[in-house]
Amino acid sequence: MLTYSEIAQLSDRDLGDEITRTRDSLFRQKMGVRTNHLKDSHLIKILKKYLAQLLTESTRRMKFGEKVEKTSAEVEKKAKDFSAEVEKKQTAKKVVKASKVKKEDQEAEDEKIKAKSSADVKVKKVEKKGFFSRKKKTEKES
């Protein structure tokens, strides 16, 4: 997350991009927490605060008519690192772990099935129970 002084060093274009990127991240985080895909509910508060700082700087620039042409390299790198960190936190970790567990369980179950032979399986023929099957039984007995 950029500090307020670093946000002030962002160019106008980078500031707008950072605002849209933060809004998208905030939306994804809110939806992820609501749908129980993500656990980091504290990240919502952090993103809200960061978005407020970005919007405050944007409003201040519009009010005073300031324009910043170029962003310093350090600030740009730090902004990209923060957005990459947020993206990493928003990836669903449960799905990855669950798929590994499912693959292991599936492989173990496949081995069990292969180990059994067809002689182990007993099939019992069962008549269907229902209204019409009773009539057939009574007709056969008569």
Side-chain angles (χ1 to χ4, degrees), residues 30-116:
K30 281 182 178 179
M31 293 309 294
V33 169
R34 276 212 181 137
T35 58
N36 292 328
H37 286 30
L38 300 174
K39 293 182 180 179
D40 300 332
S41 59
H42 68 280
L43 193 57
I44 294 173
K45 185 177 179 181
I46 293 169
L47 288 170
K48 275 184 175 181
K49 181 182 174 187
Y50 184 57
L51 181 62
Q53 288 176 342
L54 292 170
L55 291 171
T56 302
E57 177 61 23
S58 174
T59 305
R60 188 188 68 76
R61 285 184 189 180
M62 291 171 73
K63 184 177 180 182
F64 293 114
E66 293 179 9
K67 291 188 178 183
V68 179
E69 296 297 322
K70 190 173 180 183
T71 305
S72 66
E74 296 172 7
V75 174
E76 192 172 336
K77 184 179 182 293
K78 193 171 180 182
K80 287 182 181 178
D81 290 343
F82 177 68
S83 57
E85 181 183 328
V86 170
E87 285 290 328
K88 186 177 179 182
K89 287 182 180 180
Q90 288 181 345
T91 56
K93 295 175 186 174
K94 292 180 184 178
V95 176
V96 175
K97 289 180 182 178
S99 63
K100 287 180 183 178
V101 172
K102 286 180 182 178
K103 287 180 183 177
E104 291 172 0
D105 290 342
Q106 187 67 29
E107 289 173 2
E109 204 165 303
D110 289 343
E111 289 175 15
K112 288 179 184 178
I113 292 172
K114 289 177 183 176
K116 290 183 179 181

